[in-house]
Amino acid sequence: MAPKRQAGRGKRSFPPPDKSRCVQVPGRGGGPQAPGRGGGGGPQAPSSDRRDDASGGGLSGPREYPQSIIWALCQHKQGRAPQASFQQCLQQTFLHSLGSYRLFRTASPFDRRTTCLEWHPTHPSTLAVGSKGGDVILWDYEVLDKICFIKGIGAGGCITGMKFNPLNTNQLFFSSVEGSTILKDFVGNTIRVFARTNTWDNWYTSVDVSATNRVVVTGDSVGNVILLNMDGKEVWNLRLHKKKVSHVALNPHCDWLLATASVDQTVKIWDLRQVRGKSCFLHWMPHEHAVNAACFSPDGARLLTTDQHSEIRVYSASHWASPQLLIPHPHRHFQHLTPIKATWHPRFDLITVGRYPDPNFPGFTPYEPRTVDLFDGTSGKMVCQLHDPDCSGIISLNKFNPMGDTLASTMGYNILIWNPEEAVRRKQEGLIKAMSEHGIGRDCAAHRNSRRRRSRRGPTSSREQPKCPRLQGDARSKGKGKDPRP
């Protein structure tokens, strides 16, 4: 196993002023904006409760009054506000809370980088993360040492796709470079093999599953897409792209609608009931670069695509032929970096994606932070950036839990959990209590008391000051991180 490295540490470090700012919310006062954002990553969103003070209190236009959730709910119940207005009010409240998000816990369980991330559908504090070595961790981050670890085969076992079984959430579907798409339980037992290539020259790259239609769909590295039923019987196996299929996604509200993304610079939408060959697609969406992912929105009405260079697109069901939004954003592809993929928030019209600063991207400045960027899914404006100075690596994967209040990210070898500050404080108190009950951290506490007593007597030499071991469950755990530098 490779030696552990400190989470997010590298040769380059940020200047001291950046360390005081962990969360940046463009368009709000009270905090500096990160450098290099002019023209990069979309325009900034104005605050909804900002008042016009340019004329000494006079109004230069319609005045905006702050609206609370209670006010919006009352208006909606009385029939004075549409559902969209109520949803916008809820989203605005959530955006305001993003200003308090910070890291709660980190973990570095693998000896190779993370490659995929998936939240448990019914347990909002449990997530599954896969690695390049085929290892999988099932982690309840709110409970001390509640971890299930499935050992992989090592080199050549990279997990490329992962989905919980909607019919039995104690099982997981996997696609891997090993050349198989399989169903396993949490112990690691193989329940069923759905597809196997039997060669190292071809492997499976993505998997998705529909509970309504009871079908599994998987794509491979030469452009084939396979549709199977839950019993493992093959419905069809066709070559739908000229090159590797990078992602497959079923529409959550229209299960016969399938989106496929490929490195052949196209995204295609298919009707599963009418697929006969690569020319039977419903819609064809050409891109300027290879495409990493194509994800349907939670309501199924829009499609989010992420290319391998600097563009995020949003397509609408009202007109699949042309994108509704084009969002410039630096996230270029690198061979030894897990491909960056944008995702939807499960409850609000928000897009989450990691930033990989590019010197050739408009507005780039030196020491530009590698942030997690959030965009408004309707306007394309950046509404928030999350950044922690102690985790300075490139964050490739980001996904909110089904409740929408916790963000999980992966950075190299590391798993990061973001929560509102008040929730972090409350959860850390619970973890510290659990640690004390298990006798963890007593030596560290005794050492801190000893240092306080010595400090009253005067300074001591460095040889007399033993290092305090890190507490298990600390929000800043040591980890491995190997990220390319621009």
Side-chain angles (χ1 to χ4, degrees):
M1 184 174 291
K4 288 190 175 183
R5 297 179 58 179
Q6 205 167 5
R9 295 298 186 184
K11 294 182 180 179
R12 187 179 70 172
S13 60
F14 296 120
D18 286 345
K19 291 183 71 65
S20 62
R21 188 66 179 164
C22 294
V23 181
Q24 296 137 9
V25 183
R28 288 186 189 157
Q33 184 184 346
R37 297 297 182 267
Q44 299 176 6
S47 175
S48 63
D49 57 353
R50 184 183 297 171
R51 296 183 179 180
D52 189 352
D53 299 327
S55 58
L59 298 177
S60 57
R63 183 171 180 176
E64 295 182 359
Y65 292 91
Q67 298 176 356
S68 67
I69 295 178
I70 298 176
W71 177 91
L73 181 60
C74 181
Q75 294 292 309
H76 179 65
K77 291 293 185 181
Q78 295 176 1
R80 299 178 181 177
Q83 178 67 28
S85 176
F86 178 55
Q87 186 68 16
Q88 289 172 2
C89 186
L90 291 174
Q91 178 167 316
Q92 202 64 31
T93 302
F94 175 75
L95 290 176
H96 181 73
S97 72
L98 284 174
S100 67
Y101 268 59
R102 51 171 288 196
L103 277 184
F104 167 48
R105 294 190 71 181
T106 68
S108 306
F110 306 126
D111 59 353
R112 289 175 172 85
R113 60 181 165 87
T114 55
T115 55
C116 56
L117 165 69
E118 194 71 26
W119 282 99
H120 194 283
T122 58
H123 295 275
S125 62
T126 301
L127 68 158
V129 183
S131 79
K132 188 178 179 182
D135 300 333
V136 176
I137 184 176
L138 192 73
W139 181 33
D140 187 340
Y141 68 87
E142 288 189 343
V143 181
L144 190 65
D145 288 341
K146 188 175 181 181
I147 293 174
C148 177
F149 192 88
I150 303 174
K151 184 66 177 175
I153 66 171
C158 177
I159 303 295
T160 56
M162 186 166 54
K163 287 288 181 179
F164 281 91
N165 184 357
L167 304 180
N168 184 351
T169 55
N170 292 322
Q171 300 171 351
L172 278 163
F173 287 92
F174 297 102
S175 62
S176 70
V177 173
E178 185 186 2
S180 62
T181 296
I182 59 178
L183 178 65
K184 286 188 175 184
D185 60 21
F186 292 166
V187 182
N189 299 320
T190 299
I191 300 171
R192 181 172 287 113
V193 177
F194 283 82
R196 190 179 292 277
T197 63
N198 297 315
T199 175
W200 289 101
D201 297 329
N202 182 19
W203 62 91
Y204 292 102
T205 58
S206 182
V207 63
D208 202 0
V209 57
S210 166
T212 305
N213 287 343
R214 294 177 178 261
V215 295
V216 178
V217 61
T218 184
D220 69 14
S221 59
V222 295
N224 297 317
V225 177
I226 307 174
L227 181 68
L228 311 105
N229 60 29
M230 282 293 195
D231 296 327
K233 183 179 179 180
E234 186 177 289
V235 179
W236 48 255
N237 182 348
L238 299 168
R239 188 174 186 186
L240 303 184
H241 286 273
K242 296 179 181 178
K243 297 181 180 179
K244 180 176 74 173
V245 176
S246 54
H247 196 254
V248 295
L250 293 165
N251 191 297
H253 289 277
C254 187
D255 288 340
W256 51 264
L257 203 62
L258 169 70
T260 59
S262 172
V263 297
D264 66 6
Q265 302 182 17
T266 65
V267 172
K268 298 178 181 179
I269 295 181
W270 311 83
D271 183 342
L272 292 178
R273 304 165 300 182
Q274 300 177 2
V275 177
R276 299 292 182 270
K278 62 182 180 181
S279 61
C280 296
F281 54 83
L282 297 178
H283 301 280
W284 175 65
M285 306 165 184
H287 287 63
E288 297 295 326
H289 300 276
V291 185
N292 283 335
C295 306
F296 285 104
S297 58
D299 62 2
R302 287 178 297 169
L303 186 71
L304 174 67
T305 68
T306 313
D307 73 358
Q308 290 189 358
H309 194 261
S310 58
E311 190 174 69
I312 300 169
R313 297 187 181 187
V314 177
Y315 291 84
S316 174
S318 60
H319 190 60
W320 291 119
S322 61
Q324 180 184 20
L325 282 177
L326 294 174
I327 305 175
H329 182 266
H331 52 258
R332 66 193 188 278
H333 180 75
F334 185 79
Q335 180 181 0
H336 301 293
L337 176 71
T338 297
I340 295 174
K341 300 177 181 180
T343 58
W344 292 99
H345 190 281
R347 297 183 177 271
F348 301 116
D349 189 16
L350 297 172
I351 298 168
T352 310
V353 62
R355 174 178 288 260
Y356 183 5
D358 184 357
N360 298 318
F361 190 79
F364 172 83
T365 58
Y367 301 105
E368 184 175 334
R370 294 161 171 175
T371 56
V372 178
D373 299 342
L374 284 90
F375 294 88
D376 186 293
T378 301
S379 66
K381 296 180 179 179
M382 184 185 294
V383 293
C384 183
Q385 292 177 297
L386 301 179
H387 170 64
D388 189 286
D390 290 333
C391 294
S392 58
I394 299 168
I395 299 177
S396 296
L397 303 176
N398 298 277
K399 187 172 288 189
F400 278 91
N401 68 343
M403 298 293 292
D405 60 350
T406 300
L407 174 65
S409 306
T410 66
M411 179 190 71
Y413 295 76
N414 309 288
I415 307 169
L416 315 177
I417 302 294
W418 305 81
N419 268 138
E421 186 171 4
E422 182 61 33
V424 169
R425 187 181 302 110
R426 184 179 65 255
K427 292 176 182 179
Q428 284 182 342
E429 289 174 356
L431 285 176
I432 292 172
K433 182 179 179 180
M435 291 165 60
S436 62
E437 291 174 354
H438 287 78
I440 302 173
R442 290 175 181 173
D443 294 338
C444 186
H447 169 64
R448 285 197 298 267
N449 294 332
S450 176
R451 288 188 64 180
R452 292 193 190 100
R453 287 194 297 270
R454 272 197 234 103
S455 64
R456 297 191 187 100
R457 297 197 303 266
T460 58
S461 66
S462 58
R463 294 180 181 178
E464 298 175 359
Q465 299 179 2
K467 291 183 178 180
C468 175
R470 285 185 179 267
L471 297 180
Q472 190 172 1
D474 188 4
R476 297 291 188 274
S477 62
K478 282 188 178 181
K480 310 152 196 162
K482 179 182 178 184
D483 291 304
R485 303 288 164 180

